[in-house]
Amino acid sequence: MLDIPVNETVTLADLTRDPYPIYRQMRAQTPVVRVAQTNRIFVTRFEHTKWIKENPEIFSSDDPMTPMKPAFQAHTLMRKDGDEHRAERMAMQPAFSPKVIRTDWADLYTKLAEDYVSRLPKGETVDLFADLCGPIAARILAHMLGLEEATDAQMQRWSQRLIDGAGNFGNDPQLFALSDAANAEMNALFEQVMPRHIATPNNSAFSVMLTAKTPIPVSQMYANIKIAIGGGINEPRDALATILYGLLTNPEQLEEVKRQEAWLDAFEEGVRWVAPIQVSGRRTTREVQIGDHVIGPNETVMTIQASANRDEAVYADGEAFNVFRDKHPHQAFGSGPHHCAGAQVARRTLGQIMLPLLFERFPNMTLPDPKEVIWSGFGFRGPLNLPITLA
């Protein structure tokens, strides 16, 4: 067995700016490596990351080093395993079931998408990230969670504050101060809307949890909703922006997607190419071998799904956006017990509704200068802007 190599040069700033060349080199040379600035072991190959996610008895989600607990002011279900994780996940799951998506949410998704797209000015160049991707994700989620009283701006601000806090691996006190303020605002709204959901039960996540036969503690309901706000806006927002960028910078693929109506394929390729959630932390519960290396107990291991989704052993030319590549499962939504609860919602809202609607309304839209698009993020990644001419 080999000692785990230590990378003393890679910084969080490097990974935030452009992680993909770094991950490509890691896959080739040091697929299991301790990154000194994070004091975490990065695991970058597809087979290893998938195996880690699917074996929670060896790789626990309860990582004491994560910034998530101070960011969310709670020990959330994302950092729990086994029965404890399952109980909290299932408390909210009815709101995201295929039946409820079909009966309660499908028509609402379409109505909201048509409303928000109708506001876009044809013939003008607008930032679709700010004017569409973020607001529509916020509004859909507000309805699903039972937080209709929250504005789009509030939902997006809370989400970003939570994300920034959860990714605060450098323990910047200012980031935690901002997440603390967001928590206070969310708690106040939750308290305000609670009587409505108890008096008039519905299929929103908050109402489902409050009116369950054996409800989980209210503090954990709050934590569940905050987890959904933290991940349920940035994932569809960044996925939509990424897919649009991929299609508009590959016009031949776009025409073929239109011809085949292959919008779901475009969705899957977009989230594979740039995974909205790039990394996840796990804690080893015992000594374990990964590849050529033995890792001791209580080590923090980072599964780099951003890297796994481009692994040369699985994807031919994985660095490229290619809707029509040979299909292989990706890890953008995770795997194992913590597979993303909102995956089917994202597929329906983006792949079946938003993408075809946008290109029907603006069939000749263009991205005038792809170099103007700014990409950022280590834990969560996507474009920060998307200046598109609507035609």
Side-chain angles (χ1 to χ4, degrees), residues 189-200:
L189 179 65
F190 300 164
E191 187 174 345
Q192 173 191 332
V193 303
M194 191 183 298
R196 169 169 68 85
H197 288 304
I198 294 173
T200 310

Side-chain angles (χ1 to χ4, degrees), residues 198-333:
I198 294 173
T200 310
N202 54 76
N203 281 327
S204 72
F206 201 10
S207 184
V208 164
M209 288 190 289
L210 284 166
T211 58
K213 288 183 180 178
T214 53
I216 61 175
V218 171
S219 60
Q220 294 310 122
M221 295 182 197
Y222 281 23
N224 270 3
I225 295 174
K226 290 173 186 177
I227 282 291
I229 292 173
I233 292 179
N234 75 296
E235 289 182 61
R237 176 199 69 193
D238 295 350
L240 178 56
T242 295
I243 297 161
L244 289 171
Y245 179 95
L247 290 172
L248 293 173
T249 53
N250 292 275
E252 292 182 1
Q253 289 186 50
L254 172 58
E255 290 309 309
E256 190 62 17
V257 167
K258 290 179 180 178
R259 190 183 71 79
Q260 295 187 25
E261 296 186 349
W263 302 110
L264 277 172
D265 289 336
F267 170 84
E268 299 294 347
E269 176 62 0
V271 297
R272 178 210 66 84
W273 186 51
V274 180
I277 298 181
Q278 298 255 299
V279 306
S280 301
R282 295 292 186 269
R283 174 180 56 83
T284 55
T285 60
R286 59 174 173 81
E287 185 176 271
V288 61
Q289 182 177 339
I290 303 177
D292 296 328
H293 306 281
V294 172
I295 297 174
N298 293 313
E299 288 274 16
T300 300
V301 172
M302 301 293 286
T303 61
I304 313 296
Q305 45 265 19
S307 173
N309 278 356
R310 297 188 178 198
D311 191 336
E312 296 79 3
V314 180
Y315 307 101
D317 194 19
E319 303 291 333
F321 178 89
N322 181 2
V323 174
F324 302 101
R325 67 173 59 253
D326 292 341
K327 297 297 182 282
H328 296 284
H330 59 71
Q331 294 184 30
F333 294 116

Side-chain angles (χ1 to χ4, degrees), residues 68 71-78 80 87-93 95-96 137-138 140-150 154-163 182-183 185-198 202-211 216-235 341:
M68 185 171 281
F72 285 79
Q73 297 183 348
H75 185 43
T76 74
L77 80 166
M78 293 298 292
K80 296 180 180 180
E88 291 189 23
R89 181 180 173 111
M90 293 311 296
M92 192 164 55
Q93 192 63 32
F96 304 110
I140 287 173
L141 187 66
H143 280 276
M144 292 190 69
L145 295 181
L147 305 177
E148 295 91 333
E149 291 86 345
Q154 284 176 316
M155 291 288 289
Q156 291 179 87
R157 185 177 72 255
W158 295 337
S159 178
Q160 196 60 52
R161 297 288 188 261
L162 292 172
I163 289 167
N183 273 283
E185 292 179 19
M186 287 183 283
N187 292 344
L189 179 65
F190 300 164
E191 187 174 345
Q192 173 191 332
V193 303
M194 191 183 298
R196 169 169 68 85
H197 288 304
I198 294 173
N202 54 76
N203 281 327
S204 72
F206 201 10
S207 184
V208 164
M209 288 190 289
L210 284 166
T211 58
I216 61 175
V218 171
S219 60
Q220 294 310 122
M221 295 182 197
Y222 281 23
N224 270 3
I225 295 174
K226 290 173 186 177
I227 282 291
I229 292 173
I233 292 179
N234 75 296
E235 289 182 61

